[in-house]
Amino acid sequence: MDELKNTHYDAFISYRHSELDSFVAENLHRRLENFKLPKSVRSKIKDGKTSIERVFRDVDELPLSDNLSEPITNALANSDYLITLCTPRYPQSRWCLKEIETFLQTHPRDHILVVLAEGEPVDSFPELLTYEQIEVKDENGNVHFERKAIEPLAADTRGENKKEILKAMDIAVIKLCAAMFGLNYDDLKQRHREQKMRRMMTVFGIIGAFMFCFAAVVTGMLIKISRQNSIISSQYSQLSDKYADTIADKAEDLLGHGRRKDAVYALRSVLPDDPSVGYNANALCMLYKAMGIYEDSNAYSLGATYDMGSEVYDYCVSDNGRYILINDLYSLRLFDISGELIREFPGESNNFFAEGIICGNNGVVHTCEDELRFYFIDEDRDVTIAESGEIYYLYEVGPDTVIVYNGNELIAVSGSGDIIYTIDTSELFGCDDLAMDDLSSGDGYFACSLTDYSDRYLLIADITSGEVTDVIDVASDYNVSVCISDEYLYYSLTESADGSGLDKVTLHAIRLPGGRELFSVKIDRGIINDLWVSGGYIYAYTGSGLTILEARTGKEITTYGVDGEIQYGIDVSDQMIFLCDTGTIYGTLGDMCYEMGSSLFIGDHTGRISRMIFKNISYYVQFERADYICAYHPAVTLDGDGIIDPDFDDLYGEDATFDLQEDDGFDSLLLDQAVYSHDGKYIVASFSNHTVRIFDADTYECVSSYDMDEYVVSLKYSDVTESYILNCEDMSFVLNEDLDIICEMGITGGEDDGRLIVSNRFGEFRSVEWVDYEKLMAMADEYLGDYVPRESIREKYGLQ
């Protein structure tokens, strides 16, 4: 903090942290710091300053601190001007208004500059900026103060979309800089025009001089220049192609991190509208994948991405899958399933962090400093329901009930925003601020383990009425894990090691309600860190790995070692999915456990998954240290018209035999399979070194090569794609006129009235439309709209 205390700033940008406001703030910040005064007006500046050197924006300048107000107050005091980005949301922020008030304590009012970013002035300008207090003497000489209406100096960046906003920002920057340098706006604007005109005249002068000299040289130089231009054009084409290859790799990485829209944006930036001018085949092939044109898999498919401002701390999804609420500690954002932001709940101040959870399918229980509030999604209405103090835990215990725990009370909130009941744990157990080890719910009950770190208790209550049915004083020296399943409560107890050096761990099961014990068994695998019950089996994560037991007897079946520590367990239709801190995913089939690898989701995941939620048949995934969540939806099957019997003559090509010369770099011993193309022009061959090559059938010259582990079946020219299609055992590849792969799909079995016959993962052949280059570009443009990736994404991946 000390290093920023005395830092001088030319301006301080004050804005709300919502999507549009942040977009304007980021771009305005960058343009101000890149602004240079024209030389013709520099003499008018008394201090000799020629540029905006430093602008404060809290995203870039605010260090980690326990007291958020101190660095902001210092920055306001050390800034020459305050720039307020006004939208209808701005006057609603007490922190933005506080910034204005703090600035006015040390600066004159005319050093506040206003940027109208959205809405009308009457809705967007804070009242504080629309008047000033003036001193007035009455006829008796008495002094009093009156309000005088004023019109603040405002620049306008409003636009229908982001492109129009950026265009309007050019004029806004000149207006702001004119005020900050004490210059006349029209004069500065005219100087900029003159500066541009001089640059153009200089360029035209150079071109004219060059043309004069060019005309003077001998005709022979024309040939030399032509050759040089050809070389330069070729080199430029090669560089452009390499750049497009790089973008294709980056797009694959973006897909691997769950960012489909950014991947499409990246690919579209290097693919021209007109394919006749040339394009990169790798980028085109990746765009087909990113758009999911011929996607067909039993894995989960990438859907929307939900962006936050900083690393995600927690998130939850409504039971109907319509909404997702994400918490980064400083704010809560509510999205609909498509990725549209519905509501941003303001971050907390002082020692209060943002907390929230979706309640039912149409409400959000959230904190606002020391208040517990309920937000009605459909009505866009927020009401206070209790004075809660600091919230420790929020749990969904039923489809329409949330339990809020503040250390002293368990507060049950319904989906209609009503408090159903309160359980006073401080009175029940005779101590305050009990910590909660674990909570589980099911079969109409919830159970939680509470501790003051010397004693531990189990509390079991009816979800509907709040009646406490059982209170158990448990003798355990470590956290107690609990799980309710099929009308039984399972919980673990641990006694510290005695002279033997081994902790005594027991697993218990009792009937609900009543507490009749089903079994109590000793676990020799170490402390139980977490506990799940599904499909008639108990899954206990211990120091030795994942221990599986029978749910009705507690009999141990086996223990599996896992890679890392299990962080989350998800019950998916009586099958458990476990996620380790290493990113490894395990699945279960009864008493069997297996590593799922990347088979759960479509695509190669370059990002390590750190958390998953399964809700309403979809997964919601957070990658390690990511500031966003992405959705993965159930498997998609290639859609098409009817089930068609393919022409199997089209599926298989005639076997080919030919001699491979070792001096051509081919080892005949590596040849697995070779077939003629249907027109006899080519031979396509699979090799055991994971390559497929196409040869000229007459000369045996290799004309194309692919790194792939596929067994070739046929190569046939298609009138639908107007190119060759390479069929392999598991999939097909559409080639372009240069025999580069441009699209991957299921096995093709001929053509049907201008459409392709393609197989899906069930082995069914369907008639599907071929999406050509121009249509693919149009689909990508419609999907993107005016979307522009966040600045951090553009910088990280080098996107324009």
Side-chain angles (χ1 to χ4, degrees), residues 559-727:
T559 295
Y560 288 90
V562 294
D563 179 20
E565 297 182 3
I566 294 179
Q567 299 293 304
Y568 300 98
I570 304 171
D571 192 342
V572 183
S573 303
D574 289 336
Q575 177 192 12
M576 291 300 299
I577 305 293
F578 294 106
L579 175 65
C580 294
D581 61 354
T582 57
T584 308
I585 301 174
Y586 292 90
T588 64
L589 289 174
D591 60 356
M592 297 178 58
C593 180
Y594 62 95
E595 184 176 342
M596 300 187 73
S598 59
S599 62
L600 186 60
F601 303 117
I602 292 175
D604 297 324
H605 291 282
T606 50
R608 175 186 291 179
I609 296 174
S610 61
R611 186 176 181 187
M612 297 190 303
I613 289 177
F614 183 80
K615 189 64 74 79
N616 195 36
I617 71 173
S618 295
Y619 284 94
Y620 297 84
V621 173
Q622 178 187 5
F623 291 96
E624 186 176 36
R625 301 187 66 81
D627 59 353
Y628 60 90
I629 302 296
C630 47
Y632 286 85
H633 301 302
V636 293
T637 301
L638 185 69
D639 194 16
D641 296 339
I643 299 177
I644 299 175
D645 293 328
D647 183 353
F648 286 98
D649 289 337
D650 278 346
L651 282 176
Y652 300 99
E654 179 186 350
D655 288 344
T657 57
F658 64 110
D659 293 327
L660 292 174
Q661 303 299 320
E662 292 190 13
D663 56 2
D664 289 332
F666 304 113
D667 186 348
S668 59
L669 296 177
L670 297 177
L671 179 64
D672 287 335
Q673 164 76 350
V675 296
Y676 286 105
S677 62
H678 283 57
D679 57 13
K681 291 183 178 180
Y682 299 105
I683 295 173
V684 58
S686 301
F687 293 83
S688 58
N689 62 350
H690 311 299
T691 58
V692 171
R693 294 185 174 94
I694 297 178
F695 299 88
D696 185 289
D698 295 327
T699 65
Y700 297 160
E701 177 188 0
C702 179
V703 293
S704 197
S705 178
Y706 320 100
D707 293 327
M708 62 173 69
D709 190 13
E710 296 287 344
Y711 195 78
V712 298
V713 173
S714 66
L715 179 67
K716 182 181 179 181
Y717 188 85
S718 168
D719 291 328
V720 175
T721 65
E722 297 181 343
S723 64
Y724 283 93
I725 296 180
L726 172 63
N727 258 334

Side-chain angles (χ1 to χ4, degrees), residues 250-516:
K250 291 181 177 180
E252 185 173 25
D253 187 55
L254 283 164
L255 284 175
H257 280 83
R259 303 196 65 88
R260 183 195 293 270
K261 211 161 197 175
D262 293 330
V264 173
Y265 178 93
L267 294 165
R268 191 63 183 91
S269 70
V270 296
L271 289 168
D273 294 335
D274 182 4
S276 65
V277 302
Y279 61 85
N280 181 273
N282 291 332
L284 180 59
C285 187
M286 187 56 62
L287 184 59
Y288 275 104
K289 287 183 181 179
M291 290 294 295
I293 301 299
Y294 298 105
E295 201 168 82
D296 180 75
S297 172
N298 57 2
Y300 282 73
S301 174
L302 178 60
T305 301
Y306 314 95
D307 284 322
M308 295 295 289
S310 55
E311 183 178 343
V312 172
Y313 169 72
D314 199 6
Y315 61 103
C316 61
V317 181
S318 62
D319 286 332
N320 60 8
R322 288 180 59 190
Y323 306 109
I324 177 170
L325 180 70
I326 308 178
N327 181 2
D328 65 2
L329 282 183
Y330 302 105
S331 66
L332 296 168
R333 289 184 182 178
L334 180 68
F335 300 86
D336 69 11
I337 195 63
S338 69
E340 181 180 351
L341 179 64
I342 298 175
R343 171 73 182 266
E344 180 170 6
F345 301 90
E348 306 294 351
S349 63
N350 301 324
N351 293 323
F352 290 97
F353 290 113
E355 294 283 359
I357 190 170
I358 293 176
C359 186
N361 288 317
N362 191 41
V364 174
V365 178
H366 69 100
T367 59
C368 185
E369 295 194 354
D370 59 350
E371 290 184 347
L372 188 64
R373 300 179 68 85
F374 191 93
Y375 173 68
F376 295 88
I377 299 175
D378 287 346
E379 302 174 28
D380 190 23
R381 181 167 59 92
D382 206 20
V383 298
T384 299
I385 57 177
E387 299 289 335
S388 62
E390 187 172 359
I391 298 299
Y392 295 160
Y393 306 96
L394 297 101
Y395 289 98
E396 179 187 16
V397 295
D400 205 35
T401 306
V402 162
I403 291 292
V404 180
Y405 183 55
N406 60 11
N408 298 306
E409 295 176 315
L410 291 163
I411 305 169
V413 183
S414 72
S416 58
D418 299 317
I419 293 181
I420 310 171
Y421 54 82
T422 298
I423 301 174
D424 192 333
T425 56
S426 61
E427 180 180 342
L428 195 61
F429 298 109
C431 54
D432 296 333
D433 292 327
L434 290 173
M436 186 178 291
D437 285 342
D438 200 4
L439 184 146
S440 179
S441 63
D443 304 319
Y445 297 91
F446 73 88
C448 58
S449 57
L450 303 169
T451 180
D452 62 359
Y453 301 105
S454 61
D455 297 314
R456 282 182 163 80
Y457 313 94
L458 276 179
L459 183 151
I460 306 167
D462 184 285
I463 291 176
T464 303
S465 67
E467 178 188 358
V468 177
T469 59
D470 290 284
V471 173
I472 305 173
D473 188 348
V474 294
S476 181
D477 296 318
Y478 293 96
N479 291 356
V480 177
S481 296
V482 297
C483 183
I484 293 178
S485 178
D486 295 333
E487 299 181 350
Y488 285 91
L489 168 64
Y490 300 83
Y491 64 94
S492 64
L493 300 179
T494 305
E495 294 182 30
S496 296
D498 53 19
S500 65
L502 298 175
D503 294 319
K504 180 183 178 182
V505 181
T506 53
L507 179 63
H508 303 259
I510 61 174
R511 180 80 179 184
L512 296 177
R516 180 177 61 84

Side-chain angles (χ1 to χ4, degrees), residues 197-253:
M197 184 62 71
R198 284 196 297 272
R199 288 175 181 170
M200 292 177 62
M201 293 300 294
T202 301
V203 171
F204 288 144
I206 293 172
I207 293 174
F210 174 76
M211 293 300 295
F212 178 81
C213 296
F214 179 76
V217 297
V218 295
T219 305
M221 291 297 292
L222 292 173
I223 300 174
K224 182 177 180 180
I225 292 173
S226 177
R227 289 174 179 172
Q228 289 176 340
N229 285 339
S230 177
I231 294 172
I232 292 172
S233 177
S234 175
Q235 290 175 341
Y236 176 78
S237 178
Q238 291 175 12
L239 288 173
S240 298
D241 203 48
K242 288 181 179 179
Y243 175 70
D245 279 334
T246 300
I247 291 296
D249 291 339
K250 291 181 177 180
E252 185 173 25
D253 187 55

Side-chain angles (χ1 to χ4, degrees), residues 533-553:
V533 181
S534 176
Y537 296 94
I538 303 169
Y539 301 92
Y541 172 52
T542 68
S544 301
L546 186 66
T547 299
I548 303 178
L549 309 94
E550 292 180 354
R552 286 295 173 265
T553 65

